[in-house]
């Protein structure tokens, strides 16, 4: 009987390493258009400058290539099983990174150490507890622009149009209601302050997600400009 050949980890390196950073795939993320896979951080940074796959050069998306990314958790588990100690090393580096970079002034805390997940059931429990905070969702970049109205008083314009950073990146599942809360916090407005959020001049409902708005309002209107622009203003009472 022929002896079984023992495979070394390096025999699989071409399948489990990132062509961009040459390291093991960390949070392996596939481009759905061509199925090439990279580290999540590598491909997200690449798509900030380009909309083409770094492996094959195919145009992934005309305006928002981040929509075409999907995490491959099955491959992630295979890599962690093939490479001893990789999971623990990555988790420790993440903890140390947040410990060094957390903002004491804002009272932000880094993530708590994660236990090693032993099953899909553990993943489901973490999701139910909200531990992921939509970080694994497709991301979208948007511009929040103040819609100036001649009927507004000068003081009102200054208060509402005082957003310092107009460009943000967030989950495509974020709703207009959440955007309104974000604006109230950043503009230091009372939580009861009423704002309208518009896309292409149309007022968006509070339950509309950014993905819904992008697909049904922004992209279909023929706008090829990226990022998507949402305008906001104090609510106008038409009654």
């Amino acid at each position: 009987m022929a002896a079984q050949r023992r495979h070394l980890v390096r025999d699989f390196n071409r399948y489990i390493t990132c062509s961009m950073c040459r390291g093991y795939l960390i949070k392996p993320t596939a481009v759905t258009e061509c199925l090439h896979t990279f580290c999540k951080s590598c491909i997200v940074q690449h798509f900030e400058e380009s909309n083409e796959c770094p492996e094959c050069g195919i145009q992934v998306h005309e305006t928002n290539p981040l929509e075409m990314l999907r995490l491959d958790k099955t491959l992630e588990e295979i890599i962690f099983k093939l490479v001893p100690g990789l999971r623990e090393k990555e988790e420790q580096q993440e903890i140390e990174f947040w410990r060094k970079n957390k903002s004491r002034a804002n009272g932000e805390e880094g993530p708590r150490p994660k236990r090693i997940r032993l099953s899909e059931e553990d993943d489901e429990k973490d999701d139910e507890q909200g531990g992921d905070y939509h970080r694994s969702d497709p991301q979208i970049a948007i511009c929040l622009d103040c819609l100036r109205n001649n009927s507004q008083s000068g003081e009102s314009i200054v208060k509402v149009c005082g957003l310092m950073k107009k460009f943000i990146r967030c989950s495509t599942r974020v709703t207009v209601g959440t955007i309104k809360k974000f604006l109230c916090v950043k503009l230091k407005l009372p939580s009861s302050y009423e704002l309208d959020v518009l896309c292409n001049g149309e007022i968006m409902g509070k339950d509309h997600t950014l993905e819904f708005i992008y697909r049904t309002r922004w992209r279909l209107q023929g706008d090829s400009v990226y990022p998507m622009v949402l305008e906001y203003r104090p609510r106008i009472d038409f009654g």
Side-chain angles (χ1 to χ4, degrees), residues 142-147 159-168 175-191 193-198 230-234:
I142 62 173
C143 172
L144 296 172
D145 202 7
C146 178
L147 183 60
K159 180 163 58 171
V160 177
C161 296
L163 195 63
M164 297 297 294
K165 295 182 179 180
K166 301 192 298 181
F167 298 92
I168 64 172
T175 65
V176 169
T178 302
I179 294 295
K180 290 181 180 181
K181 291 178 181 178
F182 170 81
L183 288 169
C184 285
V185 171
K186 291 298 181 180
L187 296 171
K188 298 181 180 179
L189 301 171
S191 58
Y193 196 90
E194 296 289 347
L195 291 170
D196 285 329
V197 173
L198 303 88
L230 295 180
E231 296 175 311
Y232 64 93
R233 70 184 182 196

